């Protein structure tokens, strides 16, 4: 299973992306968040309303030959991305629960900077989920807005919430390209983990 955390993109791109996201059978949940660099105008878009996105998701589900619905959470009232928000959404593993094996790869997609280069997303998934277990592997993938995540948001995801920085290559991608390629890479890596 894959949960996609997506900073609200340009509305026309999101309208295009709803069926694409739903066509990936591994995607079970989409969480739309407000990033610091998200355009405030986008948060009032009708594409964030169930009457608009539900038919688009259904179209993508039929293309992907799936019957399990995609759960959507739209979190536009939150001021900033925080550990509390991610915990409330159930996206953080409870570290003190030794009975619960966590095979969830938490991926913060990032191009890196002049000093650091994150590992490839596939590698992060396989490292986290590859060991044999009775628990099915899963992933949570965070993709930022057109102008990227801020350093403060990166700190929340990576330092406070246990996400691992990962990349899809050295190119800076448009949001729609990052969503499609990110879901494809992570989906294939999860399939690889299941077959081990």
């Amino acid at each position: 299973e894959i949960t996609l955390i997506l900073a609200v993109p340009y509305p026309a791109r999101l309208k295009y992306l709803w069926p694409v996201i739903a066509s990936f059978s591994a995607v079970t949940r989409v969480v739309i968040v407000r990033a610091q660099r998200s355009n405030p105008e986008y948060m009032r878009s009708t594409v964030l309303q169930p009457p608009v996105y539900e038919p688009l998701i259904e179209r993508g589900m039929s293309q992907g030959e799936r019957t399990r619905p995609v759960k959507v959470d739209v979190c536009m009232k939150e001021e900033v991305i925080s550990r509390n928000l991610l915990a409330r959404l159930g996206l953080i593993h409870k570290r003190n629960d030794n009975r619960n094996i966590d095979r969830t790869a938490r991926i913060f997609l990032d191009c890196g900077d002049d000093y650091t280069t994150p590992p490839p997303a596939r590698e992060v998934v396989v490292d986290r989920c590859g060991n044999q277990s009775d628990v099915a592997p899963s992933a949570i993938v965070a993709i930022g807005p057109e102008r990227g995540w801020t350093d403060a948001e990166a700190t929340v995801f990576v330092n406070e919430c246990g996400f691992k920085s990962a990349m899809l290559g050295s190119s800076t991608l448009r949001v729609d390209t990052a969503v499609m390629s990110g879901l494809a890479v992570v989906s294939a890596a999860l399939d690889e983990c299941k077959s081990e």
Side-chain angles (χ1 to χ4, degrees):
E1 295 184 350
I2 299 174
T3 295
L4 173 64
I5 301 172
L6 180 61
V8 64
Y10 180 63
R13 283 205 179 107
L14 184 55
K15 188 173 184 179
Y16 163 77
L17 280 171
W18 283 122
V20 172
I21 293 165
S23 69
F24 285 90
S25 60
V27 176
T28 57
R29 184 177 180 197
V30 178
V31 180
I32 305 291
V33 296
R34 177 179 163 182
Q36 289 178 13
R37 292 181 178 156
S38 293
N39 186 325
E41 305 268 324
Y42 300 170
M43 292 161 221
R44 293 186 290 277
S45 171
T46 59
V47 78
L48 296 172
Q49 302 300 317
V52 175
Y53 67 70
E54 285 174 350
L56 297 170
I57 288 174
E58 286 176 19
R59 184 175 355 135
M61 288 172 57
S62 65
Q63 180 182 353
E65 298 179 0
R66 63 182 287 175
T67 57
R68 183 174 49 175
V70 176
K71 182 179 188 301
V72 176
D73 294 303
V74 177
C75 304
M76 290 296 108
K77 294 180 182 171
E78 303 297 329
E79 286 302 311
V80 292
I81 291 174
S82 66
R83 186 178 204 297
N84 289 340
L85 171 64
L86 296 177
R88 191 167 33 89
L89 292 166
L91 301 173
I92 300 175
H93 179 65
K94 296 175 185 159
R95 295 178 191 174
N96 58 355
D97 187 357
N98 294 331
R99 298 167 292 145
N100 189 3
I101 298 171
D102 184 25
R103 287 187 73 200
T104 301
R106 289 173 177 78
I107 301 163
F108 177 77
L109 285 181
D110 182 19
C111 295
D113 56 29
D114 292 340
Y115 308 103
T116 60
T117 302
R122 180 204 161 272
E123 184 178 306
V124 172
V125 174
V126 172
D127 285 352
R128 180 69 183 169
C129 302
N131 19 357
Q132 293 289 336
S133 172
D134 294 337
V135 178
S138 62
I140 301 170
V141 181
I143 298 177
E146 277 86 356
R147 297 185 305 155
W149 298 110
T150 64
D151 289 341
E153 290 166 332
T155 297
V156 168
F157 279 105
V158 176
N159 297 346
E160 297 177 21
C161 298
F163 281 68
K164 300 288 183 204
S165 286
M167 65 180 205
L168 296 171
S170 58
S171 300
T172 301
L173 304 175
R174 288 178 15 167
V175 171
D176 48 344
T177 306
V179 168
M180 288 183 283
S181 55
L183 291 176
V185 167
V186 171
S187 184
L190 288 172
D191 288 344
E192 185 180 333
C193 291
K194 290 176 195 170
S195 67
E196 285 184 356

